[in-house]
C-alpha cells in the first residue's frame, strides 16, 4: 500500500502543510506516526481520499462539521442511501443560503446603481449652471 508525506499531499493539492495539520486537528485526517518520537506523519490512500473530499466540500462552501459528517458517512458503504439523503439535505440548505446571498447582492447592486444615477444627475445639473 502506498503512503504519502505531508509535503507530498500539500504539493498535490496545492495547500499548505499547516492546512493539512489543521484538518488533522479537526478529525478529518488521522495519519500514523513514524520516526523518532513519532514526528513524521504518514498518510494512507484513505487519508488522501478524505483530504480530497474535504477540499471538495470547502469549494462547495460547506462547513468543516458538515464535511466531517459527510466524509465519515462516506466510509460506511452500508449507509450509502443515508449518505445521499444527508448530502442532498446539506446541498439544499447550502443552495438556500446562496440564493439568499444572491438576492441580497442584487438588492445592494440596485441600490448602488440608484445612488450612482442620482450622483450623475446631480453632476449634470451642476455642470449646466
Amino acid at each position: 500500500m502506498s503512503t504519502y508525506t505531508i509535503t507530498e499531499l500539500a504539493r498535490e493539492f496545492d495547500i499548505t502543510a499547516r492546512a493539512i495539520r489543521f484538518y488533522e486537528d479537526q478529525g478529518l485526517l488521522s495519519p500514523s506516526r513514524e520516526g523518532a518520537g513519532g514526528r513524521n506523519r504518514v498518510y494512507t490512500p484513505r487519508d488522501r481520499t478524505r483530504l480530497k473530499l474535504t477540499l471538495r466540500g470547502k469549494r462547495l462552501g460547506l462547513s468543516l462539521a458538515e464535511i466531517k459528517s459527510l466524509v465519515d458517512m462516506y466510509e460506511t458503504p452500508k449507509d450509502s442511501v443515508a449518505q445521499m439523503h444527508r448530502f442532498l439535505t446539506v446541498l439544499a440548505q447550502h443552495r438556500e443560503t446562496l440564493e439568499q446571498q444572491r438576492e441580497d447582492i442584487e438588492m445592494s447592486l440596485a441600490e448602488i446603481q440608484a445612488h450612482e444615477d442620482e450622483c450623475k444627475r446631480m453632476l449634470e445639473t451642476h455642470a449646466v449652471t
Side-chain angles (χ1 to χ4, degrees):
M1 175 167 59
S2 60
T3 59
Y4 308 90
T5 66
I6 196 167
T7 303
E8 290 169 335
L9 289 178
R11 188 177 306 123
E12 178 180 352
F13 292 104
D14 195 27
I15 59 174
T16 64
R18 183 176 181 176
I20 294 173
R21 287 189 297 272
F22 175 75
Y23 296 140
E24 182 181 334
D25 291 341
Q26 298 303 306
L28 290 159
L29 305 174
S30 54
S32 60
R33 302 291 187 131
E34 291 182 356
R39 291 179 42 96
N40 300 328
R41 291 169 169 84
V42 178
Y43 296 90
T44 63
R46 172 189 173 270
D47 290 311
R48 184 186 171 280
T49 298
R50 289 178 67 91
L51 179 58
K52 185 176 183 177
L53 292 171
T54 297
L55 296 173
R56 187 174 296 158
K58 281 191 54 71
R59 281 193 303 274
L60 287 172
L62 303 177
S63 72
L64 288 179
E66 290 168 327
I67 292 169
K68 184 170 181 350
S69 172
L70 293 170
V71 169
D72 287 347
M73 286 174 45
Y74 175 80
E75 293 187 344
T76 54
K78 66 183 184 300
D79 293 334
S80 61
V81 171
Q83 176 190 1
M84 291 298 127
H85 285 297
R86 173 71 179 124
F87 190 50
L88 286 172
T89 299
V90 168
L91 289 176
Q93 290 169 344
H94 191 62
R95 175 185 296 279
E96 186 176 316
T97 299
L98 289 174
E99 292 288 347
Q100 182 61 55
Q101 289 174 342
R102 178 169 48 192
E103 186 177 314
D104 293 343
I105 289 169
E106 287 172 358
M107 287 175 56
S108 294
L109 288 171
E111 289 175 13
I112 289 170
Q113 185 65 53
H115 289 298
E116 286 176 340
D117 292 346
E118 179 65 17
C119 287
K120 289 175 185 176
R121 187 190 61 72
M122 291 174 74
L123 284 171
E124 288 173 2
T125 302
H126 289 304
V128 172
T129 55

